[in-house]
Amino acid sequence: MTDHVGTAPACPFPGCVGTAALGCPAERSSTARSRFVALEISVLCVLLSASAFAEAPSFNSARAIQYVREVVAFGPRPIGSANHKKVENYIHSHLKGDLVQDDAFTATTPEGKFPVRNIIAKFPGTRDGIIVIAGHYDTNYPLRKTGYVGANDGGSSTALLLELANQLRGKKRDGYSVWLLWTDGEEAVKEWTATDSLYGTRHLAEKWQNDGTLRKIKAFLLTDMIGDADLNIDRETNSTPWLEDLVLQAATSLGYQSHFFARTISEEDDHIPFAHLGVPSADLIDFDYGYSNVFWHTPQDTIDKLSPKSMEIVGSVILETVRLLDERK
């Protein structure tokens, strides 16, 4: 038996010399073009999505906790010490190329005169106003001979600000300017009083009030003891209620609300000089470090008590709070 080869019917489109079985060249060309255009659109959408994802702030918790390790490695960092100066240089080394200013002065304390240096990194925005994000880098002076390294109390806030600088650097801010402030002389030199504490921020708040900077500050966000593995940020009664509510809104939008404001406390911290002068201020602090705060101001304040996830939570919530502040009228 021989194979039968049939003849395909002619293409029904006028003027076409192709066959229906093979498909009209004009029809094939039109279909191919449509498929190609659809493919181009799909690829473009993927690229745009990837670009947007790459540019979105993403707090790097591994990098932040490494900064804590490096800061702690200097040892105790009370004002006036060689290690304190090393940390100043360390912070500056991570801010090369940024707009950085120092507020340096000599503080008179119950133990004599000490050099104090606030470090400010400025990231300009398009809106008229400033958001200050602050945290101290010194360690407790009375504990200077105990081996106290302040991993959480001083180390975590120092590192958090360094990582926030990474998120802000090289991006044009479509919002308020953001100033990162490493405060100095937060700790008491002898015993905590209104005059033996907060040396750096008391000086800077007065300075900014005198030169007109203070009235430009839309919010002052303070971070302190935010690395605790068992993270529970307190609602702080000396803070501005609407600003703390905005922080909670930011935390809730990110799914971190369970780590915020289950407790209410009253704290004297670096936000006080600014709050007293009318600046909207919020103190983000977890003042329950270990059972009954057992690790606070002891040599047990070491990096093994900290968690990269806690750093990520606070850093991400701060970035989201900044975004919400930018959107406020």
Side-chain angles (χ1 to χ4, degrees), residues 229-296:
D230 181 20
L231 182 68
N232 290 287
I233 300 296
D234 300 303
R235 183 179 284 276
E236 200 282 312
T237 58
N238 291 314
S239 297
T240 306
W242 73 257
L243 185 53
E244 290 218 318
D245 288 345
L246 198 68
V247 170
L248 182 58
Q249 179 183 336
T252 302
S253 71
L254 297 173
Y256 295 141
Q257 65 273 16
S258 64
H259 295 280
F260 284 78
F261 302 163
R263 300 183 302 254
T264 298
I265 63 169
S266 177
E267 274 299 309
E268 294 183 4
D269 209 342
D270 269 328
H271 65 310
I272 292 293
F274 291 90
H276 283 175
L277 292 175
V279 176
S281 303
D283 186 8
L284 277 63
I285 184 170
D286 176 358
F287 201 61
D288 189 15
Y289 184 33
Y291 182 75
S292 295
N293 210 22
V294 68
F295 301 138
W296 176 64

Side-chain angles (χ1 to χ4, degrees), residues 8-20:
C11 177
F13 287 89
C16 180
V17 295
T19 63

Side-chain angles (χ1 to χ4, degrees), residues 14 36 47 64 75 93 97 105 114 116 118 121 124 139 144 148 157 209 212 222 226 270 281 322 325-326 329:
F36 182 72
L47 290 175
S93 73
F105 64 100
F114 289 94
V116 177
N118 298 309
T139 55
R144 63 193 181 281
Y148 172 76
S157 51
Q209 182 184 40
L222 176 65
I226 44 77
D270 269 328
S281 303
V322 169
L325 286 166
D326 285 337
K329 300 299 183 183

Side-chain angles (χ1 to χ4, degrees), residues 142-191:
L143 297 174
R144 63 193 181 281
K145 297 180 180 179
T146 67
Y148 172 76
V149 295
N152 195 27
D153 195 1
S156 65
S157 51
T158 303
L160 183 90
L161 294 180
L162 289 172
E163 176 54 23
L164 289 177
N166 294 333
Q167 301 302 320
L168 296 167
R169 183 177 297 116
K171 304 179 179 74
K172 185 175 176 61
R173 293 219 75 252
D174 187 17
Y176 294 119
S177 295
V178 174
W179 291 6
L180 301 180
L181 168 61
W182 286 262
T183 72
D184 194 12
E186 186 264 358
E187 299 283 9
V189 172
K190 189 172 184 180
E191 184 178 358

